Every structure is written in C-alpha cells, then in structure tokens.
Amino acid sequence: MTSKQRGRPRSFDRPTALEQATMAFWEHGYETTSVADLTRVMGISAPSLYAAFGDKKTLFEEVVEEYARSHGAFGGRALAEEPTARDAIGRMLREAAAEYTDPAHPRGCLVISAATNCSTSEVEEALRERRAANIATFEARIRRDVEGGELPAGTDPRALARFSGAVLQGMSQQARDGASRQELEALAEAAMRAWPPTKAGAKAEAGVEKAPETPAGRGA
C-alpha cells in the first residue's frame, strides 16, 4: 500500500507576504505593479504566488479586503462608535489626516488611489463600488440624524454625504502630493465648519444669543 504523498510546505509567511503585496499595490497602484514586482517584494517565486494567492487580480482582491480590516478600518470604527453623524465624520476625517500621512506606509488611501489609470475594468469597478458604498453609508447615517432631529430638517443627506466623501478623497490625493498631517487636519476642520449645526450646537448658540444682560454688561 502506498501512502499519499504530502504536499511541500510553504517556505514563506503568508500574512507577511500579503502585507508586502499591500505595500506594493498601495504605493504604485494596480496597473503598474507587475507580477515580477510582487514576487520580488514578497520574497517568493511566481509559482508560489499563484499557488498561495491565485492570479494578480485575485491577490489584489485579497489585499483590498485586508486593507479594509487594517489600515482602512478607522472610518468604520468612527461610524460605529460615535453618537452622531457629525461626530463620526469629523473623527473619520481627523484620523484620515494621520493615517494618510503615516510614514510607516505609503501615503493616501489604497482604495482611492490604487485604480488610477487602471485598464482592468473589473478592478476599477470593484473599487468604485467600495467608494460608493462608503458614501451610501455616510448618507444613511446623516439621514438618520435628520429624521431624528439631530440635524436641521433642511439638510440634504445625499449632498452632505457626497461632500464628505469628496473631502476624504481629496485628502488622500493631497497626502500623496506631499501635504502634511497638520495641513490635512486643518482641511478636516474647515470641512466640518461647513456642516449644519447639530441640535446640541444650535441650542448652545441660541443660549448665548438669548442670555440676559447683567448690570455690568449694560455698562460695558
């Protein structure tokens, strides 16, 4: 009786190789990152890459999923943990300023920049759908606050969501163009000043406006 021959064990650490592939795609984009580039940075042969990850497109799909769970997870955390849409989007933009300029990895956002000049329609469409889903999530969160009275009734959830998405995408590009964390943080604060006031903010402003004058105040 012959025993079944066991496959040769992989001679590389898969999570480390996947992170190296992420760095390559993040820095150079999908189109200009070749299989030769990937095998070099991952430290594996082409047959090992295909055996462990499939083809280049399949590897990139896994890279995007891993990116969303790690480097890109700050946005989802902000939306899940903050009590209002304004708090969540403001936190997301401020954390994007730090994440997009972190010297430990390429600048900007992989999901925003990796498909630049991409001729592979499936890759371009998949990233577009992710970006659209993010904006839809912003819109749903903003709409909930409008309906709950947290934001003014005249607020346009779709326009405000697209505005927030445009700011986030612009921050990614500006980071890749060399903008500093401080510059992007200032941009984030400017963007949040364009938001309508929350219910709590409106009450605070009204309280200041309607505060009665003190005797000392009348003589000032």
Side-chain angles (χ1 to χ4, degrees), residues 179-191:
S180 68
R181 174 177 176 175
Q182 291 73 23
E183 289 171 328
L184 295 185
E185 286 175 339
L187 191 159
E189 296 305 325

Side-chain angles (χ1 to χ4, degrees), residues 29-94:
Y30 177 83
E31 193 70 25
T32 58
T33 303
S34 67
V35 171
D37 294 329
L38 292 167
T39 57
R40 185 180 67 255
V41 300
M42 296 166 78
I44 61 177
S45 65
S48 293
L49 186 152
Y50 292 126
F53 299 101
D55 61 14
K56 174 183 166 180
K57 185 168 75 69
T58 304
L59 170 59
F60 182 71
E61 290 168 355
E62 185 172 349
V63 159
V64 172
E65 291 293 339
E66 181 58 29
Y67 175 87
R69 289 191 293 266
S70 55
H71 301 286
F74 63 91
R77 285 195 300 268
L79 290 164
E81 295 171 4
E82 296 300 327
T84 69
R86 184 190 183 97
D87 290 336
I89 298 296
R91 171 179 160 182
M92 180 186 67
L93 294 180
R94 287 188 291 272

Side-chain angles (χ1 to χ4, degrees), residues 104-146:
H105 54 63
R107 285 176 159 250
C109 171
L110 181 148
V111 173
I112 293 170
S113 64
T116 301
N117 299 322
C118 181
S119 62
T120 306
S121 59
E122 298 93 334
V123 170
E124 188 177 22
E125 179 62 24
L127 293 181
R128 185 185 302 118
E129 287 176 357
R130 278 184 174 269
R131 295 191 296 270
N134 286 339
I135 292 175
T137 300
F138 300 165
E139 181 181 344
R141 187 67 187 276
I142 293 165
R143 190 177 302 280
R144 190 172 76 192
D145 280 8
V146 174

Side-chain angles (χ1 to χ4, degrees), residues 96-97 100-101 107-109 170-180 184:
Y100 291 173
T101 57
R107 285 176 159 250
C109 171
M171 289 174 68
S172 173
Q173 185 57 55
Q174 290 198 22
R176 291 182 72 85
D177 287 343
S180 68
L184 295 185

